Amino acid sequence: MDDHLMESAPTMHQTLQNIIAACNRVILGKEPQIRLALACILARGHLLIEDLPGMGKTTLAHTLAQVLGLEFRRVQFTSDLLPADILGVSVYDRNAAAFKFHPGPVFTHVLLADEVNRATPKTQSALLEVMEERQMTMEGETRKLPEPFFVIATQNPTTHIGTFPLPESQLDRFLMRIRLGYPDARSERHLLAAQGGRAILPTAAAVTDAAGLIRLQAAVTEIRVADALLDYLQALLEASRRDPRLEMGLSPRAGLALKQAAQAWALMQGRDFAIPEDVQAVLPSVAGHRLINAEGGPADASVLLNSVAIP
Amino acid sequence: MTEQKLMLHLRWLLRALALVLAPFMFQLTPWVPLMALLLGIWRYWLAYRQQPLPGMKILAPLTIVGALGILASHGGIFGRDAGVALLVLMAALKTMETRTRRDITLAVFLGYFLCVCVFLFTQSILVAGYIVVPLVMLTATLVSLSQPGGGLSGGAKLKLAGLMLMQAVPVMLVLFVLFPRVPGPLWGLPEDMARGQTGLSEDMSPGSISELSKSDAVAFRAVFKGQVPESSKLYWRGPVFWHYDGRTWRAGQPPKPAGETHLQPLTAPMEYTVTLEPHNKSWLFFLDLPTHWQTAGQLTADYQVLSREPVRQRLRYDAASTLHYLERSQLDATTRHRALQLPTVGNPKTRQLAAQWKAESPTPQAIIQRALQMYRDGFTYTLNPPQLGASPIDGFLFDTKRGFCEHFAGSFVFLMRAAGIPARVVTGYQGGQSNPMSDYLIVRQSDAHAWAEVWLQDEGWIRIDPTAAVAPQRVERGIAAAIPATEPLPALARPELTWIKRFNLGWDAVNNGWNQWVLGYNDQRQAAFLSKLAGTKVDWGDMARWLVILLSLVVAAIAGLMLRNMPRQTDPVQRQWLRFVEKLARVGIVPKPAEGPKDFAARAALQLPGKQAAIEHITRLYLQSRYGGRKGLADLHRRVREFQPR
């Protein structure tokens, strides 16, 4: 079925297609994850990538930044990383006879927080605070972060040694959590032949730039969400709180995240309105890390999908 | 089915079956329910420890041992007890091989069937109330089974099961009232159904009635059309005994049907209805003497009324009796011979006394008076008479002088016969207890009584109750008034209205209603009730018609309620879409739960390649109108109307 191209900006759809195509050339065989990650960025959300080491988490983050034409910083989180190592530090400048602020790596468009769960809770919360505020206050002075700004955090499965699992309240600040998984045989072959992956990352050209991304993000908020769809969203939230299989339901923030992600997904489909399928496409990634099942373990968001009829 | 889910369903099933089993604990040979219980516990333990189920090598011998055990305990596998025992055991063994959903379903239906079997033993209100519990549990097991995700909590499952059963209640009521009843049971009930019921027996010896008098059990209940006669007039006639063998009174020979009766009622007959508890004998109880018995049974020459077969189920019959009458029957030679029969030897002192009276007295009436006078002077009425030796009547009349009604009636008839007056023993019940909570009379086994009848020239058979001579209170105010408070009389026969007795009478009133309206709702009662309701005579055809009409109404009402609870679709766009979905459903393309419209349309287009364009167009219009805020209703309406899936 042909989608309904946006009359106002048919080029936006084209731009998005180009971004996806460019990423696909580097990250092989992971188009669904690329689409979700892009939707997350378009919805002005932060992204959590959770997988085993060596699955291409960092490459994905790096590729996205490069294709979107954004400034990119990477911080490797370790257990001795301090908040100042991310945020920056004021140092006394003898010449100016004053403290001078040396901005940390957080002052960028895309911050890749690699292995975020290896840092201490103190450092984690410093990062998560700026993620939410998109600005930082130090010594009475408030400094805005650049626009656009988003964090792509990667995380090892928490069962690994030397990790501080992110608490639920922190996980809620990530709009989406995705998993990459092993590549399929064909992609893996290409990867081994150095026809993809980090090897060809330098060749990936920027499709848009910061201003272009801001325009795209603005377009997302314009995507129409009809009353009927709000009913559906509400039914999903309601069900997540009432379902006896789930111990913890979705927060209102999660509801907003779900709506924004669905809008972004609709934009990527070239529609100026969102439909239930958009919600269904993003729900597992938006809700997966926020739900806790009755046994206290991670819950499968698809149980939610199947139990709520579309009004 | 995963191990975990099986465990969940199994827990429901085993709990439900345990509850079904409970009432059988009191009814079956104890080892059968016990073995079933142990099997259930074993099954639960295996599931709990996730151990494999026992194989055929263990189950087959167990089954054979169980079946042989039942054969040994009951002497066969037929009849109620053996049949139900077998069923209980097999249901328990069935759980030992439940691995799949199908197995559990089968066990649930076995459980339902066992619920019905409980009523083969007892149909009391308490059991009927109790059975609801396992019924809900069994239904909850089915609810649990039909939940693919195992979603609902335990309480929610019970609630849903209860709700489903509640919805069935109106249907049950309609079927109960209107389903045409057939006369008599649908199938022959097994012989052993009537085992262990108390009541009068076909013989009388010293101690037999006093033993019966210690039972509280209800013999029958009676409702009178008019005023209840005073207690001393309430002689409920039962078996009549002619033959004495020196110790025991018996009927002697089978009762002859009544020929022409010589009964002349002096007052208008008294009409009443008796609800007789099953006693496994064929006699029916009527007040002396019956004038209307035809609908209940057959009258014999000695005024017993016998039903055609033993009373194995509660029986309700209309009756009329006259309490004041003249019975001017003549005695033919055979009957006279029977009424004077005595053993050739034994009780010499009594015979001597009778001979002496006969010589000294001018009329039979005088002999009777002397006998009664003798009882009045120095005899004691007691529930616990002393043991009597080889000549029981001599022993009673000359030594112990303490006895219960059977002693008085037996010795009196012996005396009369020895003095040449034809006489016989009549047993039955005397008196009864009026239930103050409701308008009926309860006659218990403790009201069992024996009295005498003598035949006099020109007067026919007349009743003489020697007990009344010794203890007039017995017939005027009931047994409790005549027996010293120290003797072990059943609590309910005592006159004081304690709270426990009050409760008991109230409970008896409830039970009486249950018997009359639920258990006693037979073909006649149904026809009478419905005819009264309709105002005209109601036949089977009418019942069937009303059955169909009322059932349709009930189902429609429930459907209406359910529809009203469903969200009403007010959006016209959505209505058109649902019409479209319905058209596709007719060709077998049904939306999956929670399937989005676009996904559904794509699937439909794949299945109907020829209609792809139309489906896509309608879907596009729908999505734009419902979610995109565009105006496309008229177009959508037209296209949905024109859409033909074939």
Side-chain angles (χ1 to χ4, degrees):
Chain A
M1 180 168 27
D2 51 338
D3 280 304
H4 327 291
L5 295 180
M6 299 177 61
E7 292 92 339
S8 54
T11 50
M12 266 191 193
H13 184 235
Q14 195 51 55
T15 309
L16 288 166
Q17 294 304 316
N18 292 345
I19 293 170
I20 293 164
C23 291
N24 272 338
R25 268 196 300 281
V26 181
I27 318 288
L28 300 172
K30 295 285 169 211
E31 179 159 348
Q33 286 87 342
I34 292 169
R35 284 177 172 273
L36 284 168
L38 184 59
C40 178
I41 293 164
L42 290 175
R44 291 168 55 90
H46 305 288
L47 179 66
L48 180 64
I49 307 176
E50 186 181 278
D51 222 321
L52 298 165
M55 304 296 271
K57 300 187 291 278
T58 314
T59 314
L60 173 64
H62 209 150
T63 310
L64 274 169
Q66 197 162 325
V67 168
L68 291 170
L70 301 176
E71 195 187 325
F72 175 78
R73 292 280 193 83
R74 172 170 180 275
V75 178
Q76 175 65 48
F77 276 46
T78 55
S79 55
D80 56 357
L81 191 78
L82 295 173
D85 296 336
I86 308 168
L87 304 177
V89 64
S90 288
V91 179
Y92 188 73
D93 186 340
R94 209 174 299 208
N95 297 335
F99 280 96
K100 186 171 187 292
F101 181 69
H102 293 265
V106 75
F107 290 88
T108 181
H109 290 133
V110 183
L111 176 67
L112 173 62
D114 230 348
E115 303 188 78
V116 69
N117 57 341
R118 285 183 61 194
T120 55
K122 187 177 179 180
T123 311
Q124 286 175 358
S125 62
L127 171 73
L128 293 158
E129 217 173 294
V130 289
M131 281 168 58
E132 185 65 16
E133 308 289 332
R134 288 170 198 277
Q135 64 183 22
M136 57 159 286
T137 307
M138 196 179 260
E139 284 145 19
E141 206 178 325
T142 301
R143 293 185 174 83
K144 275 196 133 353
L145 298 182
E147 275 285 324
F149 167 75
F150 57 89
V151 172
I152 300 178
T154 72
Q155 172 170 276
N156 294 332
T158 47
T159 47
H160 278 220
I161 301 166
T163 56
F164 296 91
L166 292 173
E168 286 89 36
S169 59
Q170 310 280 42
L171 281 173
D172 201 27
R173 298 183 194 233
F174 288 97
L175 191 139
M176 281 190 193
R177 182 196 59 185
I178 61 174
R179 292 196 168 106
L180 288 175
Y182 292 110
D184 57 61
R186 216 174 117 243
S187 309
E188 185 134 41
R189 186 62 198 263
H190 282 295
L191 213 57
L192 290 171
Q195 289 160 340
R198 202 167 289 196
I200 65 157
L201 185 54
T203 68
V207 175
T208 180
D209 56 9
L213 181 58
I214 288 172
R215 274 199 305 280
L216 285 170
Q217 286 177 335
V220 165
T221 60
E222 297 296 312
I223 298 289
R224 184 188 173 92
V225 178
D227 284 349
L229 195 67
L230 288 179
D231 289 345
Y232 181 45
L233 285 168
Q234 212 167 17
L236 284 169
L237 295 175
E238 183 75 31
S240 78
R241 291 162 197 164
R242 271 199 324 214
D243 197 314
R245 288 166 292 182
L246 301 174
E247 188 190 284
M248 206 173 79
L250 295 173
S251 64
R253 171 157 50 192
L256 282 174
L258 187 58
K259 177 187 152 192
Q260 288 158 0
Q263 285 174 304
W265 196 264
L267 179 72
M268 287 166 64
Q269 308 295 316
R271 249 184 286 108
D272 62 353
F273 58 89
I275 62 172
E277 277 86 346
D278 298 331
V279 177
Q280 295 180 343
V282 297
L283 180 80
S285 306
V286 173
H289 57 298
R290 302 174 205 254
L291 294 175
I292 293 180
N293 69 13
E295 279 87 47
D300 186 1
S302 59
V303 300
L304 205 55
L305 266 190
N306 293 330
S307 65
V308 179
I310 298 168
Chain B
M1 194 155 47
T2 65
E3 211 39 49
Q4 207 180 2
K5 274 187 201 156
L6 179 73
M7 180 68 197
L8 178 76
H9 303 319
L10 199 70
R11 227 182 348 234
W12 278 101
L13 175 71
L14 291 176
R15 270 184 297 197
L17 286 182
L19 285 169
V20 180
L21 197 62
F24 291 111
M25 293 279 177
F26 308 102
Q27 310 290 0
L28 295 177
T29 328
W31 69 267
V32 173
L34 207 67
M35 180 171 169
L37 192 70
L38 289 177
L39 283 169
I41 292 171
W42 186 19
R43 177 68 186 94
Y44 186 81
W45 188 78
L46 287 180
Y48 183 72
R49 301 292 298 268
Q50 308 220 336
Q51 304 227 341
L53 293 181
M56 264 301 132
K57 276 191 191 138
I58 297 175
L59 285 185
L62 262 181
T63 312
I64 292 168
V65 165
L68 287 178
I70 287 167
L71 265 174
S73 295
H74 297 94
I77 55 161
F78 297 106
R80 175 192 65 174
D81 289 6
V84 174
L86 197 66
L87 200 63
V88 165
L89 216 53
M90 293 307 138
L93 279 164
K94 181 69 205 166
T95 64
M96 296 308 295
E97 50 170 29
T98 43
R99 294 182 179 86
T100 63
R101 171 183 301 266
R102 187 183 154 278
D103 294 335
I104 292 188
T105 314
L106 189 77
V108 167
F109 282 101
L110 263 175
Y112 280 129
F113 192 73
L114 282 175
C115 285
V116 177
C117 289
V118 172
F119 292 108
L120 290 177
F121 294 92
T122 164
Q123 295 135 31
S124 79
I125 227 170
L126 281 180
V127 167
Y130 171 79
I131 277 300
V132 173
V133 179
L135 268 186
V136 170
M137 288 292 283
L138 284 167
T139 313
T141 311
L142 287 184
V143 170
S144 178
L145 267 183
S146 63
Q147 293 262 308
L152 291 176
S153 67
K157 278 175 197 162
L158 278 180
K159 206 171 135 191
L160 186 59
L163 195 73
M164 284 162 73
L165 288 178
M166 290 276 275
Q167 285 172 340
V169 166
V171 177
M172 178 193 83
L173 286 178
V174 169
L175 284 175
F176 177 81
V177 174
L178 282 175
F179 193 85
R181 307 270 164 150
V182 289
L186 270 180
W187 57 84
L189 288 166
E191 291 282 325
D192 55 358
M193 284 277 295
R195 194 182 35 127
Q197 283 148 349
T198 55
L200 289 173
S201 58
E202 51 274 272
D203 53 38
M204 184 187 89
S205 50
S208 67
I209 292 183
S210 48
E211 207 45 53
L212 190 59
S213 281
K214 290 172 185 163
S215 162
D216 261 348
V218 174
F220 55 88
R221 299 180 177 85
V223 181
F224 285 86
K225 285 264 161 59
Q227 185 78 28
V228 181
E230 57 189 88
S231 184
S232 61
K233 298 261 168 27
L234 294 174
Y235 278 86
W236 302 95
R237 193 181 185 90
V240 178
F241 300 135
W242 297 80
H243 185 267
Y244 186 57
D245 65 359
R247 176 139 205 106
T248 306
W249 291 90
R250 290 199 174 79
Q253 43 180 272
K256 280 183 296 189
E260 186 195 351
T261 67
H262 307 276
L263 193 62
Q264 278 181 30
L266 296 181
T267 50
M270 175 124 282
E271 286 179 48
Y272 54 96
T273 306
V274 174
T275 308
L276 181 63
E277 296 293 312
H279 57 81
N280 207 19
K281 302 283 182 335
S282 45
W283 45 77
L284 308 175
F285 298 95
F286 282 71
L287 280 177
D288 263 354
L289 287 169
T291 54
H292 174 79
W293 64 85
Q294 287 82 351
T295 53
Q298 264 187 323
L299 191 71
T300 66
D302 46 10
Y303 296 101
Q304 300 180 59
V305 182
L306 300 178
S307 77
R308 278 159 203 88
E309 46 197 76
V311 181
R312 294 213 177 95
Q313 285 176 298
R314 196 171 282 107
L315 180 71
R316 189 172 178 278
Y317 53 86
D318 292 323
S321 295
T322 175
L323 305 185
H324 303 276
Y325 50 83
L326 289 177
E327 205 271 359
R328 291 205 170 120
S329 58
Q330 291 302 311
L331 219 53
D332 59 57
T334 347
T335 315
R336 173 179 288 275
H337 182 72
R338 285 183 73 202
L340 287 171
Q341 175 272 340
L342 279 180
T344 45
V345 290
N347 301 306
K349 284 159 99 177
T350 310
R351 288 177 204 256
Q352 202 187 340
L353 180 69
Q356 184 194 335
W357 283 351
K358 191 180 179 188
E360 293 169 6
S361 307
T363 58
Q365 281 88 341
I367 300 178
I368 295 169
Q369 284 314 317
R370 284 192 74 160
L372 292 180
Q373 191 54 49
M374 178 186 73
Y375 287 131
R376 267 183 221 115
D377 303 337
F379 277 77
T380 309
Y381 180 63
T382 170
L383 255 180
N384 293 318
Q387 290 286 317
L388 294 169
S391 286
I393 292 176
D394 274 7
F396 170 62
L397 287 181
F398 299 101
D399 300 330
T400 67
K401 301 197 176 186
R402 294 165 63 80
F404 202 59
C405 54
E406 68 266 34
H407 299 80
F408 291 101
S411 60
F412 181 80
V413 171
F414 191 98
L415 272 171
M416 291 304 113
R417 288 185 175 182
I421 304 171
R424 60 193 182 193
V425 173
V426 183
T427 57
Y429 298 89
Q430 204 284 321
Q433 178 184 31
S434 231
N435 190 341
M437 315 280 176
S438 186
D439 191 21
Y440 64 93
L441 197 75
I442 309 173
V443 179
R444 300 179 189 278
Q445 300 299 348
S446 53
D447 295 315
H449 193 50
W451 59 92
E453 278 180 338
V454 294
W455 183 89
L456 301 175
Q457 189 68 44
D458 301 329
E459 287 186 46
W461 288 100
I462 57 171
R463 180 175 67 225
I464 307 285
D465 187 352
T467 309
V470 191
Q473 324 84 291
R474 165 66 186 89
V475 293
E476 281 156 17
R477 288 189 282 127
I479 181 169
I483 291 284
T486 49
E487 292 200 8
L489 196 67
L492 293 177
R494 295 256 172 228
E496 312 88 63
L497 202 66
T498 56
W499 67 269
I500 213 162
K501 193 169 165 190
R502 204 188 301 271
F503 170 79
N504 206 287
L505 286 172
W507 179 236
D508 194 87
V510 172
N511 255 311
N512 185 46
W514 171 256
N515 293 342
Q516 299 288 324
W517 288 103
V518 180
L519 301 181
Y521 189 75
N522 58 9
D523 53 327
Q524 291 160 21
R525 198 113 216 227
Q526 182 184 39
F529 173 70
L530 293 178
S531 299
K532 198 173 156 194
L533 212 64
T536 67
K537 189 130 175 58
V538 172
D539 64 6
W540 276 44
D542 296 328
M543 286 187 210
R545 264 190 293 283
W546 276 104
L547 192 66
V548 171
I549 291 170
L550 277 180
L551 278 185
S552 314
L553 283 178
V554 165
V555 171
I558 292 174
L561 267 176
M562 288 169 79
L563 280 178
R564 219 181 54 181
N565 286 341
M566 286 212 319
R568 255 176 68 82
Q569 199 41 259
T570 47
D571 181 5
V573 174
Q574 184 70 358
R575 270 213 297 275
Q576 292 309 317
W577 173 254
L578 290 179
R579 248 177 78 191
F580 171 68
V581 171
E582 207 170 292
K583 281 188 171 185
L584 284 171
R586 261 178 253 153
V587 297
I589 304 171
V590 182
K592 295 175 191 155
E595 190 177 24
K598 200 174 148 190
D599 291 344
F600 171 65
R603 198 159 55 85
L606 218 61
Q607 290 190 32
L608 299 173
K611 301 286 173 189
Q612 194 180 0
I615 293 173
E616 284 177 359
H617 197 107
I618 288 172
T619 310
R620 188 160 51 239
L621 279 171
Y622 164 68
L623 288 176
Q624 284 177 349
S625 311
R626 183 149 169 90
Y627 297 106
R630 293 179 182 76
K631 301 262 177 285
L633 180 59
D635 198 11
L636 180 65
H637 188 266
R638 185 173 56 80
R639 284 184 180 268
V640 169
R641 199 181 55 218
E642 287 166 1
F643 178 75
Q644 291 300 334
R646 284 209 196 288

